[in-house]
């Protein structure tokens, strides 16, 4: 047991890297807008399926071939198996689909790693995310990079083909289209419906879009437009195209016109690359109603480029840089996400693109930037508030300034004379892309939407430091806060109580959202120096929350509705309390709720817990992920993540990563490709640094008020267990010393000394930060043995991916040497160790610490405590390389290890291995 825990881990980790295992049935290919949203069905592990629109009821003709010394392989689409496609297979040559060896999914890219005979080639579908450049972000274009290499070093004749059909332009295939090709400075095919319907869609597809398929000219590059059988057959026979246009415009399905390229790479001995751009452009993008009328808003890229052609040329010229930026952004996101866990990183990687693809960026009034979000997957509503609320964490993480672009269209319309209600509307209209407003918004969802608007508006200000929205829309925001008070958001009922499709009185989760909404108004007033308003709303929120506690907490947990002690719900709105550092809800409630979740997940169905006990079998991944961000119980948190990942991998129910599905069989209910999936970023936003002091200080809710009786009682019991652990730790420590083994955990930046000192030199982010309790554990440890299948075993979920991360702002544990005035040091010497609820365990084991306790132990033992223990035992040998505090640190580390090993025993009983692809 005293085995080099870390070495085991490293072993486990290595096996993860070699076994790529996250392969959802629906893969995002290019997703950059609600309309440019192409997915692929990869369940057969073959590329030869037709790509589909996100709805998965409309094929997007997209065909890819590669010829290798006359052998013919298909790398995208299903043309080759159609007997009507005529081509000649020369003697001894073969036709086949390319072999997909691996698929890599990053936040911006889907990469097929393939072989075709003696050629190794990768196709990278890149849907850029450009946090630093709104012009680039507003491009409705994606890249397809093709990297080809001879795998045996010998020379091979290689030609690559790609075409798009008119199916990208309309849901109905009996629609006439027209097209043209320009050949300089880039070769660009474009196609559109002959008769467009401006700002209208049909079955979710735009009726006014122009499709682009472009590449750079060069040696061996040929192009053609024409009937699908003719072009594809010709390429398969000749490895080239004719550089000619088909001028007989016709219906999409009438000898399907396709827009094609061929790249003859010649005699290939090493690596070669080229890139395509694919686009689906519209102008105008949105019709927006404001006080003074309705306006057609152009795409934001039009502020810099006069035409789509010009924009597309710039886009193509920027391909290499765009790829480099994407790799960098992916690296940042994945590094951050891996610190929670690899399964979490998987889910984040899949969810990111679809979240951003729900949004289009346009030129708003007075050349401002507006973003419009379509309720993709659930409805056609414009800027739906509950979806925006779910997706918000992604925007806070990617670039919080963008939150303004999303909120302002809502704020502006509802501050205009066109809107007369005293509460916030649920959206800007039912029919994207027409943001006509909802002048008659009814009150049923008013508490939910009004609270969400106040919370989001405050979150934007808090994390950007920008007060513009607060100033401009203060009276609207205040009107909304007053509405929450007058409609008594504490007891949602009387026709304002609906949320999440549930329509019950006194829903706990909705009530706390209302309270946080009012408290957000207090923060807003405070920020603008309106002290009277601030006190009023702060007092209101404080008194409400006391009342809420007594009504909402029953039977050891928060109930779904007041007084229904057998009911429960995922209290995802507490995420806002955490995000905004309000500490409205006290730790004893959080602790109890954590404990409740930890028990609840043990009886979860395969695809997770319903979001409310009244919503039988109905799981919502976005609320699940926000809930995961509210809990300190890493076991429960990881379980929530696991169930969402399991759904992402659910190959029995093909759907573009939906947000709403049945907990038992995984069948989608709604939310395919929904931007609400952006809630996965909840966990990554808890460390965001506040740019405004707010009522609770920069770090939000400082100076932990842990003086509740529960914690103290727990501390007495737990303290004993902690002492026992500490003693054991000392034992281990000494044994390890005498073994004289190299300790890998001392090496490099991962030393405990650096770990503990990190918090000391951070400014403006004191160790009293409420959020610090919710940091992922620095190293989580499972040990595992027996991951024989080569598949990622449970244990490897917790690999030490740069555990200390070099990430400022993440750790703020006080150093025993450096911290002078850490109020945390007044706390119990060791965090209370509560016993795990052994009733739920099906094995006999010593009492286990709860995962949630692990994180806290770092901050709590003081130098004195350690010294006292040291004095009581033999003097511990001093390590030559680390300073005086290192022994204490190492000791803590041993204690930590022990706890983790015990923890792992617990978690091994909790999990089943994830589904396996073979
Ligand atoms: C394809 O991707 C794999 C994995 O990243 C890489 O090892 C290989 O070199 C790439 N092949 C080409 C031709 O770029
Ligand atoms: C191409 O393949 C050769 C081996 O045939 C290898 O040395 C080289 O690194 C590969 N290049 C890329 C970019 O994959
Ligand atoms: C295709 O799917 C979308 C989204 O589910 C739906 O709105 C549309 O009605 C469907 N169209 C048909 C013809 O089934
Ligand atoms: C390409 O050009 C040749 C020679 O003019 C012609 O016979 C052939 O049909 C053309 N192929 C296609 C697909 O248009
Ligand atoms: C909601 O809760 C309040 C306060 O506890 C109570 O007075 C009221 O009767 C409840 N409303 C309903 C419809 O249950």
């Amino acid at each position: 047991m005293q085995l080099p825990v870390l070495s085991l881990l490293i072993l486990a980790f290595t096996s993860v890297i070699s076994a790529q295992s996250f392969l959802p049935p629906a893969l995002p290919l290019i997703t950059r807008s609600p309309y440019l949203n192409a997915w692929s069905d990869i369940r057969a592990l073959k590329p030869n399926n037709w790509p589909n629109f996100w709805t998965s009821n409309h094929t997007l003709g997209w065909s890819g071939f590669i010829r290798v010394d006359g052998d013919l392989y298909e790398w995208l689409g299903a043309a080759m198996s159609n007997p009507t496609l005529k081509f000649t297979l020369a003697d001894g040559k073969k036709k086949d689909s390319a072999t997909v060896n691996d698929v890599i999914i990053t936040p911006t890219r889907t990469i097929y790693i393939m072989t075709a005979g003696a050629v190794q080639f990768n196709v990278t579908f890149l849907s850029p995310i450009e946090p630093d450049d709104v012009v680039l972000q507003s491009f409705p274009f994606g890249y397809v990079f093709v990297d080809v290499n001879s795998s045996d070093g010998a020379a091979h004749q290689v030609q690559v083909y790609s075409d798009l059909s008119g199916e990208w332009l309309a849901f109905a295939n009996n629609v006439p289209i027209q097209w043209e090709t320009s050949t300089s400075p880039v070769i660009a095919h474009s196609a559109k419906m002959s008769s467009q319907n401006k700002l209208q869609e049909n079955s979710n597809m735009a009726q006014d879009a122009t499709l682009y398929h472009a590449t750079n000219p060069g040696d061996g590059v040929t192009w053609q437009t024409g009937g699908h059988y003719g072009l594809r057959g010709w390429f398969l026979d000749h490895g080239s195209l004719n550089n000619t246009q088909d001028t007989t415009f016709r219906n999409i399905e009438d000898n399907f016109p396709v827009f094609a390229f061929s790249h003859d790479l010649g005699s290939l001995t090493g690596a070669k690359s080229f890139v395509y751009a694919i686009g689906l452009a519209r102008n105008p993008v949105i019709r927006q109603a404001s006080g003074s009328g309705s306006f057609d808003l152009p795409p934001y890229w039009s502020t810099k480029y006069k035409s789509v052609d010009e924009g597309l040329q710039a886009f193509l010229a920027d391909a290499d840089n765009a790829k480099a930026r994407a790799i960098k952004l992916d690296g940042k996101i994945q590094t951050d996400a891996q610190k929670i866990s690899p399964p979490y990183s998987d889910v984040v990687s899949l969810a990111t693109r679809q979240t951003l693809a729900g949004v289009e960026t346009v030129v708003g009034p007075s050349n401002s930037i507006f973003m419009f979000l379509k309720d993709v997957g659930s409805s056609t509503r414009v800027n739906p508030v509950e979806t925006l609320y779910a997706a918000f964490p992604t925007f806070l993480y990617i670039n919080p300034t963008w939150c303004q672009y999303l909120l302002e269209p809502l704020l502006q319309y509802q501050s205009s004379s066109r809107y007369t209600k005293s509460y916030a509307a649920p959206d800007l209209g039912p029919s994207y892309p027409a943001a006509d407003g909802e002048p008659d918004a009814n009150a049923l969802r008013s508490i939910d939407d009004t609270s969400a608007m106040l919370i989001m508006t405050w979150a934007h200000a808090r994390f950007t430091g920008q007060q513009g929205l607060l100033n401009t829309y203060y009276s609207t925001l205040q009107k909304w806060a007053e509405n929450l008070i007058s409609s008594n958001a504490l007891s949602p009922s009387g026709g304002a109580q609906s949320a999440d499709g549930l329509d019950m009185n006194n829903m706990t989760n909705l009530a706390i959202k209302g309270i946080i909404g009012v408290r957000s108004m207090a923060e807003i007033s405070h920020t603008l120096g309106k002290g009277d308003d601030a006190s009023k709303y702060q007092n209101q929120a404080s008194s409400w929350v006391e009342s809420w506690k007594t009504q909402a907490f029953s039977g050891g947990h928060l109930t779904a509705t007041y007084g229904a002690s057998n009911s429960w719900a995922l209290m995802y709105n507490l995420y806002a309390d955490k995000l905004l550092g309000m500490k409205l809800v006290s730790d004893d409630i959080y602790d109890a709720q954590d404990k409740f979740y930890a028990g609840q997940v043990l009886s979860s169905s395969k695809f997770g817990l319903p979001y409310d006990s009244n919503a039988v079998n109905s799981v919502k991944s976005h609320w699940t992920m926000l809930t995961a961000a509210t809990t300190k119980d890493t076991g429960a948190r990881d379980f929530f993540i696991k169930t969402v990942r399991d759904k992402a991998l659910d190959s029995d129910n093909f759907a573009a990563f939906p947000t709403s599905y049945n907990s038992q069989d995984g069948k989608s209910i709604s939310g395919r490709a929904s931007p609400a999936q952006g809630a996965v970023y909840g966990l990554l936003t808890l460390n965001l640094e506040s740019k405004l002091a707010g009522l609770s200080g920069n770090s939000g809710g400082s100076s932990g008020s842990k003086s509740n009786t529960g914690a103290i009682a727990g501390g007495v019991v737990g303290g004993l267990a902690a002492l026992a652990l500490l003693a054991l730790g000392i034992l281990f420590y000494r044994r390890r010393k005498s073994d004289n083994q190299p300790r890998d955990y001392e090496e490099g930046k991962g030393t405990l000394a650096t770990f503990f000192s990190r918090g000391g030199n951070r400014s403006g982010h004191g160790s009293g930060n409420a959020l610090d309790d919710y940091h992922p554990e620095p190293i989580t440890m499972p040990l595992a043995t027996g991951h024989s299948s080569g598949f990622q075993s449970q244990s490897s979920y917790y690999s030490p991916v740069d555990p200390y991360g070099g990430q400022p702002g993440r750790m703020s544990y006080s150093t025993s040497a450096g911290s002078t005035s850490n109020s945390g040091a007044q706390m119990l010497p060791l965090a209370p160790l509560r016993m795990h609820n052994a009733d739920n365990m099906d094995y006999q084991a010593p009492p286990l610490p709860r995962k949630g306790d692990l994180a806290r132990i770092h901050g709590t033992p003081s130098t004195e405590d350690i010294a006292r223990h040291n004095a009581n035992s033999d003097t511990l040998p001093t390590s030559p390389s680390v300073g005086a505090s290192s022994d204490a640190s190492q000791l803590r580390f041993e204690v930590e290890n022990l706890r983790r090993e015990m923890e792992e025993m617990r978690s091994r009983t909790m999990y089943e291995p994830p589904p396996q692809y073979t």
Side-chain angles (χ1 to χ4, degrees), residues 638-684:
D638 291 341
F639 190 88
F640 287 138
I641 294 167
K642 174 191 169 346
T643 57
V644 172
R645 185 177 182 273
D646 282 350
K647 176 54 205 172
L649 289 171
D650 172 22
S651 60
D652 290 339
N653 300 288
F654 180 85
F657 197 15
T659 51
S660 179
Y661 40 88
N662 184 288
S663 60
Q664 309 213 321
D665 60 18
K667 284 207 171 26
S668 312
I669 298 169
S670 71
R672 289 168 187 244
S674 169
Q677 211 67 275
V680 297
Y681 276 81
L683 280 158
L684 292 180

Side-chain angles (χ1 to χ4, degrees), residues 173-187:
N173 285 338
N174 59 355
V175 167
I177 57 169
Q178 60 193 61
W179 54 87
E180 64 183 339
T181 304
S182 62
T183 55
S184 174
V186 303
I187 316 177

Side-chain angles (χ1 to χ4, degrees), residues 522-533:
E523 301 277 359
I524 291 168
S525 303
H526 173 78
T527 300
L528 298 186
K530 297 176 193 293
D532 291 350
D533 290 352

Side-chain angles (χ1 to χ4, degrees), residues 374-565:
K374 179 179 168 181
D375 198 18
V376 175
S378 307
S379 76
T380 56
R381 292 161 56 215
V382 186
N383 288 24
V385 171
E386 80 287 3
T387 302
L388 190 54
Y389 180 76
F392 218 61
T394 296
F395 297 98
L396 287 174
Y397 179 94
I398 297 286
N399 184 343
T401 299
W402 292 5
C403 298
Q404 168 169 349
Y405 309 150
L406 289 156
L407 291 169
E408 190 152 21
L410 287 155
L411 289 164
Q412 196 180 70
Y413 171 77
Q414 292 170 67
S415 300
S416 80
S417 55
R418 288 202 176 191
Y419 189 78
T420 55
K421 308 289 185 191
S422 57
Y423 45 81
D427 52 51
L428 280 174
S431 310
Y432 199 93
D436 293 336
E438 292 276 18
D440 301 321
N442 76 32
L444 205 54
R445 301 174 26 153
S446 60
I447 293 174
D448 197 32
D449 295 323
T450 304
S451 314
M453 287 302 297
L454 289 168
I455 290 167
M456 291 190 288
T457 304
W458 167 238
H460 162 260
R462 175 177 159 89
F463 295 114
T464 59
Q466 296 158 7
Q467 300 174 27
L469 289 183
L470 311 188
N471 270 311
T472 309
Y473 301 107
Y474 190 79
S475 59
T476 299
L477 297 166
Q478 187 171 24
K479 182 174 69 182
W480 288 346
E482 290 296 332
N483 180 268
L484 288 177
I485 295 169
S486 63
S487 60
N488 192 16
L490 171 64
S491 302
S493 54
Q497 71 277 1
S498 170
D500 282 337
L502 296 173
D503 189 359
M504 296 174 298
N505 289 311
N506 286 342
M507 287 197 283
T508 298
N509 195 27
L510 179 59
I512 193 65
K513 189 175 186 176
I515 298 169
I516 299 169
V518 170
R519 172 57 189 264
S520 295
M521 190 65 216
E523 301 277 359
I524 291 168
S525 303
H526 173 78
T527 300
L528 298 186
K530 297 176 193 293
D532 291 350
D533 290 352
S535 320
K536 174 184 176 189
Y537 299 118
Q538 184 174 18
N539 292 340
Q540 181 71 68
S542 302
S543 85
W544 268 0
V545 84
E546 289 312 312
S547 175
W548 176 82
K549 262 169 74 167
T550 60
Q551 299 183 83
F553 192 81
S554 152
H557 63 276
L558 295 167
T559 56
T561 54
Y562 292 166
S565 55

Side-chain angles (χ1 to χ4, degrees), residues 32 69 75 325 342 425 502 520 593 616 619 668 707 757 839 863:
R32 285 227 73 192
D69 301 324
W75 58 265
R325 287 194 300 274
L502 296 173
S520 295
Q593 194 66 9
V616 180
V619 182
S668 312
S707 59
S757 61
D839 297 346
T863 323

Side-chain angles (χ1 to χ4, degrees), residues 12-49:
F13 185 49
T14 320
S15 74
V16 176
I17 288 177
S18 56
Q20 192 19 262
S21 53
F22 185 63
L23 188 57
L27 294 174
L29 295 181
I30 298 293
T31 58
R32 285 227 73 192
S33 83
Y35 305 116
L36 181 55
N37 214 302
W39 296 68
S40 178
D41 179 348
I42 195 77
R43 278 175 297 180
L45 253 183
K46 300 257 184 199
N48 52 353
N49 258 310

